[in-house]
Amino acid sequence: MSLNHYRDLASNDEETRLKAAYSLLSELSSSTTEVIEYALNRLIRGLASGRESSRLLAQLLNPTGKIANRSDVDFARVLDILKSHTHPEGSVAGQEERDHYFGRLFGLEALIKSSILFLQTSPLDHWIQVLDLIFELAKKKTWLREECGWIVYDALPAISEIGMGTKFLQVTVDRLCANGLAKTPEGVAIWLYIYRHDPKVEFPGTPWRHKNPLDSSNITTLAKVLKEAPPQEEDANGEEVTSGQKGSWNSKLHFAWNVVLSEICSSECSIVKAASPFRGFWQSVVDGISKLTASDSLFSAPASEERKLWGFLAFCKMIGGAPEQLIPDLFSKNFMRCLINQLSNSERFLHRAAQKSLRAIHSRVEADPEIAYHAITGLLSGNGTPNFDHITKTRTVEKILIQANNTALVRITQHYDNCIQHPSTDDLKAAESRRQLLADQLIAVLRNGKSRKSDEWTMSLLSMFVRLGYFTTENAESGPSPPLSEASRNIFRTRLSSCLAHLISSKYQDDDSWPFRALNAIRGCEQQHMTSVIELDDTIQVAKNSALKRLDRIHKKKLSTKKNRKATLYTFELLFSLVILLLYNGDSDALSVLDELRICYDKLIRHKNTNRNDTNPTEVLIEILLSFISKPSVLLRKLAQQVFSTFAGDIRAEGLQLLLNVLKSKENLAGQQELFDQEADDDVESEAMSDVEVANVDAPDSTDTEDDSEGLGGDVVWEDIEDGSSNADDIDDGEVAKLDAALAAALGTRRMHATKEGGGSPSDDESDMNDEDMMAIDDTLVKIFKERKRIASVKQQKKDAKETITNFKIRVLDLLEIFIRLQHRNVLSLGLILPLLELIRSTSSKQIRSRAATMLKDYARACKGNDIPPPNDRVEDTWILLKGIHGEAMKEASHAHSSACSQASLLVAKVLVGADRSNANGVVGVYAETWTKWLLSKKCKVQPSIFSDFVNWSINASKQLQR
């Protein structure tokens, strides 16, 4: 036998160790008893060595056990060798002593795993000797107690499978109690396993009452044991004595927790029926609500940070595998308090442990989405807080809501409804804040594309907002507490609009629009005789009833009509539904819009003549859409876009002109008054009619998304506009100087900056003023400060007007972009080119300029091949358009304007040449004329790129024209 095998067994290289182990075992299989005993001595002596990896082999492959399993090897001799080589003799160093104890432990583990102890012919005495050695080591060195207990616990499944298993298990219990280790975490784990798997084993009445550590009478003791406090044992006189406490703290949860939690959660475990429920166990042992165990539980007030860490680890284990019915009990009072405190500050000692608990919740919800309901109720209500995410600076609730399935979402919505009606506070402001927060969280679920929601859940959400926003209950006891304020009802009505804005492009079952379903929810509440909080006068009530009847006819016709007319009827259903909702919300223009909608419907659908025979229905429709987009509402903006898309093919030049007129308006206060037919205030009339404008209002070009523009705050919003002008309270230097001079004259002093320039003191020219003098100048001071306030108000009005017009133009451009995208082959699209070029040149808004330039670029890109629009019926108009584009190019030298003019010119050239090849001469002539003016006139600001673009186009076009 090669002695090199023993050297290689201690190598740090795993492959070398494994190879040596297999070679050694192969050689020993046919060796003599003397060689075997020599090998045992060498291997066991290596267990107590601290050199390199000498003990690792015993832990992984257990060659000692395999050798001892031979029939010609005496077990008693093996045990004697193990005890002699792992017993520290004399005065040895601490490290050497530890090496010996570790060697004994690994050797005993190797013997147990070799199965030599549990053969049919194995005497029971061998197992007793091994147990005594293990338990003796556990008592002597408490820092090894957990490893000793685990070795015994790990052997129990193998013992249960043998024929004499009951005797071995009985001996295990007896030796455990005899060594005073029954009231330790290791003892509890061993006791519970045997109690469950072998009912034939007889347990003593002590130290656990009713022979069950999980019995309610043992909760206090169990809490101390699992906390690893010094265990209490009874001596011969029945008095409790304290055993040795564990020498060091371990950041990992003791394996006994797994056993205890598994046992107490098992629905098939017989001991659960006799034991206390899980809630009592969790609250007593972990949370510390019970007065009996308040000082011994992991989350009690006096518990150390180390104990609380164990509590978080216990929570992670339970949330990962506990049955659904036990999940609510995990979110107990002290646990939630500690979780929120640790999460709220990243500097807290257990912040990362608390974050790990949140990740465990997310993992369980992801694996079992129905658990989301229990997680939400645990975090937000009861022991939690409605603003959990805000306090903890996390997105926990938001993520859980997204992970929830439809079943959980329905239950969560019902829970939110209850929390909204009963927010657990009597303070009205706090109640309003909580109600708004809960509503916003539900809307976030609706908007998130990853959430698993059904149409039924969406409808239940709309119905909840309808009921809370528009109706109240007569019975105050069964209603919300505190009662819903008008501010809260407005929030719910606004959130309903936000929901509809998100859903407007989607359909409900049977192709119903969501606004139609929301309106039906209102009608359903009215049919249930719920009390409406909206008071409508007789005129509005009559108009509403008439509109509802018309809406029902439209809906019925939509269900029975052919597919080609369904889209038009759906759009009218959408329009009538939302305008009636506006009527409920008290919109002042809703009545007139309903009348105009009736005219459009009669002419476009019923083809019925009205009193306004000279009016084109699409023009009326455009006016309605303009009234929608003039309001800061995402819902109305999206409605206008969807309706415009449906009727884009029916729009005439007059309708487009209504949109273009908006783009021509001035971006100042005068333009706002002219566009919205407002009368100027007397105080600001002179300012509004002057040529003085505020500084440019610039906004970066960004995608207009619902989240960016609307947020969770509701449906009413304007797009953000970055104002390059001064603040509203900044006053022109001239006005400041005038007011400063007037104030100085009234006070009889010099102006402050004049005083500084003169180097004198303000008191140099002042004379003492008595009370009469002060009263005399009081009226003058009042007038001066009123004038200051008026000037600041004018500046603010100018700024607001600028933002209003800019946003209005952006929304008009949205509609024109839809028309160009859907009708780029329509000759009417050519009529949009010059107005867009003029807008690029004249606007002071970067966002409008960029948007218009992009529209022209996309228009030119879409018109390729057969998608080129035909020229006007009067070809002369197309030539006039081309010349007008070149005339526009001569007016400004900016890159955006020049590039747009070049693209537009090439587009019109394609139209003319595509209609008739001979038009190429005229196109070249127009470019030549522009080139001549560029050479000879300083006033011509056209950029040379317009000619290079034409040359490049001509090269490609010539290949087609010369065929």
Side-chain angles (χ1 to χ4, degrees), residues 4-21:
N4 293 331
H5 296 325
Y6 298 105
R7 182 195 62 211
D8 293 340
L9 285 175
S11 174
N12 287 328
D13 182 64
E14 182 178 6
E15 185 177 353
T16 303
R17 289 198 309 272
L18 292 175
K19 184 178 179 180

Short mmCIF file of all heavy atoms in Angstrom, two decimals, residues 4-21:
data_model
loop_
_atom_site.label_atom_id
_atom_site.label_comp_id
_atom_site.label_asym_id
_atom_site.label_seq_id
_atom_site.Cartn_x
_atom_site.Cartn_y
_atom_site.Cartn_z
N ASN A 4 1.79 7.39 0.08
CA ASN A 4 1.51 8.72 -0.50
C ASN A 4 0.03 9.07 -0.44
O ASN A 4 -0.35 10.24 -0.52
CB ASN A 4 1.98 8.78 -1.95
CG ASN A 4 3.49 8.70 -2.06
OD1 ASN A 4 4.21 9.13 -1.14
ND2 ASN A 4 3.99 8.15 -3.16
N HIS A 5 -0.80 8.03 -0.31
CA HIS A 5 -2.24 8.30 -0.25
C HIS A 5 -2.58 9.17 0.96
O HIS A 5 -3.43 10.07 0.87
CB HIS A 5 -3.03 6.99 -0.17
CG HIS A 5 -2.89 6.13 -1.39
ND1 HIS A 5 -2.78 6.63 -2.66
CD2 HIS A 5 -2.85 4.76 -1.52
CE1 HIS A 5 -2.67 5.65 -3.53
NE2 HIS A 5 -2.70 4.48 -2.86
N TYR A 6 -1.92 8.94 2.07
CA TYR A 6 -2.24 9.71 3.29
C TYR A 6 -1.83 11.17 3.15
O TYR A 6 -2.49 12.07 3.68
CB TYR A 6 -1.54 9.06 4.50
CG TYR A 6 -2.00 7.65 4.75
CD1 TYR A 6 -1.19 6.56 4.41
CD2 TYR A 6 -3.24 7.40 5.34
CE1 TYR A 6 -1.61 5.26 4.63
CE2 TYR A 6 -3.66 6.10 5.57
CZ TYR A 6 -2.85 5.03 5.21
OH TYR A 6 -3.27 3.75 5.44
N ARG A 7 -0.71 11.36 2.45
CA ARG A 7 -0.30 12.75 2.22
C ARG A 7 -1.28 13.47 1.30
O ARG A 7 -1.66 14.61 1.53
CB ARG A 7 1.10 12.76 1.61
CG ARG A 7 1.67 14.17 1.39
CD ARG A 7 2.86 14.14 0.47
NE ARG A 7 2.45 13.63 -0.85
CZ ARG A 7 3.22 12.94 -1.66
NH1 ARG A 7 4.45 12.62 -1.29
NH2 ARG A 7 2.79 12.52 -2.83
N ASP A 8 -1.71 12.77 0.26
CA ASP A 8 -2.63 13.40 -0.69
C ASP A 8 -4.01 13.65 -0.10
O ASP A 8 -4.74 14.54 -0.54
CB ASP A 8 -2.77 12.52 -1.94
CG ASP A 8 -1.47 12.44 -2.74
OD1 ASP A 8 -0.62 13.33 -2.55
OD2 ASP A 8 -1.32 11.49 -3.54
N LEU A 9 -4.35 12.84 0.93
CA LEU A 9 -5.66 13.05 1.57
C LEU A 9 -5.75 14.41 2.25
O LEU A 9 -6.84 14.93 2.46
CB LEU A 9 -5.93 11.94 2.58
CG LEU A 9 -6.32 10.57 2.02
CD1 LEU A 9 -6.43 9.55 3.14
CD2 LEU A 9 -7.64 10.66 1.26
N ALA A 10 -4.64 14.98 2.62
CA ALA A 10 -4.63 16.29 3.30
C ALA A 10 -4.40 17.45 2.35
O ALA A 10 -4.23 18.58 2.77
CB ALA A 10 -3.55 16.31 4.38
N SER A 11 -4.38 17.15 1.05
CA SER A 11 -4.14 18.20 0.05
C SER A 11 -5.32 19.16 -0.02
O SER A 11 -6.49 18.78 0.18
CB SER A 11 -3.90 17.55 -1.32
OG SER A 11 -3.82 18.55 -2.32
N ASN A 12 -5.01 20.41 -0.37
CA ASN A 12 -6.07 21.42 -0.54
C ASN A 12 -6.79 21.27 -1.88
O ASN A 12 -7.85 21.85 -2.08
CB ASN A 12 -5.49 22.83 -0.44
CG ASN A 12 -5.12 23.19 0.98
OD1 ASN A 12 -5.77 22.73 1.92
ND2 ASN A 12 -4.08 23.98 1.14
N ASP A 13 -6.21 20.51 -2.78
CA ASP A 13 -6.82 20.30 -4.09
C ASP A 13 -7.87 19.20 -3.98
O ASP A 13 -7.56 18.06 -3.59
CB ASP A 13 -5.74 19.92 -5.11
CG ASP A 13 -6.34 19.74 -6.50
OD1 ASP A 13 -6.85 20.72 -7.06
OD2 ASP A 13 -6.28 18.59 -7.01
N GLU A 14 -9.07 19.51 -4.35
CA GLU A 14 -10.18 18.57 -4.18
C GLU A 14 -9.99 17.33 -5.06
O GLU A 14 -10.24 16.20 -4.62
CB GLU A 14 -11.50 19.26 -4.53
CG GLU A 14 -12.71 18.36 -4.34
CD GLU A 14 -14.01 19.08 -4.65
OE1 GLU A 14 -13.95 20.24 -5.12
OE2 GLU A 14 -15.07 18.48 -4.45
N GLU A 15 -9.56 17.53 -6.29
CA GLU A 15 -9.39 16.39 -7.19
C GLU A 15 -8.32 15.42 -6.66
O GLU A 15 -8.49 14.20 -6.73
CB GLU A 15 -9.01 16.90 -8.59
CG GLU A 15 -8.92 15.79 -9.62
CD GLU A 15 -8.61 16.34 -11.00
OE1 GLU A 15 -8.60 17.59 -11.17
OE2 GLU A 15 -8.38 15.53 -11.92
N THR A 16 -7.26 15.97 -6.09
CA THR A 16 -6.20 15.12 -5.52
C THR A 16 -6.73 14.33 -4.34
O THR A 16 -6.42 13.13 -4.18
CB THR A 16 -5.00 15.99 -5.10
OG1 THR A 16 -4.53 16.74 -6.23
CG2 THR A 16 -3.88 15.14 -4.54
N ARG A 17 -7.50 14.97 -3.48
CA ARG A 17 -8.06 14.28 -2.31
C ARG A 17 -8.98 13.15 -2.74
O ARG A 17 -8.92 12.05 -2.19
CB ARG A 17 -8.84 15.27 -1.43
CG ARG A 17 -7.99 16.26 -0.68
CD ARG A 17 -8.78 16.87 0.48
NE ARG A 17 -10.06 17.40 0.06
CZ ARG A 17 -10.26 18.64 -0.39
NH1 ARG A 17 -9.22 19.47 -0.47
NH2 ARG A 17 -11.46 19.05 -0.73
N LEU A 18 -9.84 13.43 -3.69
CA LEU A 18 -10.79 12.39 -4.12
C LEU A 18 -10.07 11.20 -4.74
O LEU A 18 -10.41 10.04 -4.48
CB LEU A 18 -11.78 13.00 -5.13
CG LEU A 18 -12.76 14.04 -4.58
CD1 LEU A 18 -13.60 14.63 -5.69
CD2 LEU A 18 -13.66 13.42 -3.52
N LYS A 19 -9.09 11.49 -5.54
CA LYS A 19 -8.33 10.41 -6.18
C LYS A 19 -7.63 9.55 -5.13
O LYS A 19 -7.62 8.31 -5.21
CB LYS A 19 -7.33 11.02 -7.16
CG LYS A 19 -6.57 9.98 -7.96
CD LYS A 19 -5.63 10.64 -8.95
CE LYS A 19 -4.85 9.60 -9.73
NZ LYS A 19 -3.92 10.24 -10.73
N ALA A 20 -7.03 10.20 -4.12
CA ALA A 20 -6.34 9.47 -3.06
C ALA A 20 -7.31 8.63 -2.25
O ALA A 20 -7.00 7.49 -1.84
CB ALA A 20 -5.58 10.44 -2.17
N ALA A 21 -8.50 9.18 -2.01
CA ALA A 21 -9.50 8.47 -1.21
C ALA A 21 -9.96 7.20 -1.92
O ALA A 21 -10.04 6.11 -1.32
CB ALA A 21 -10.69 9.38 -0.92
#
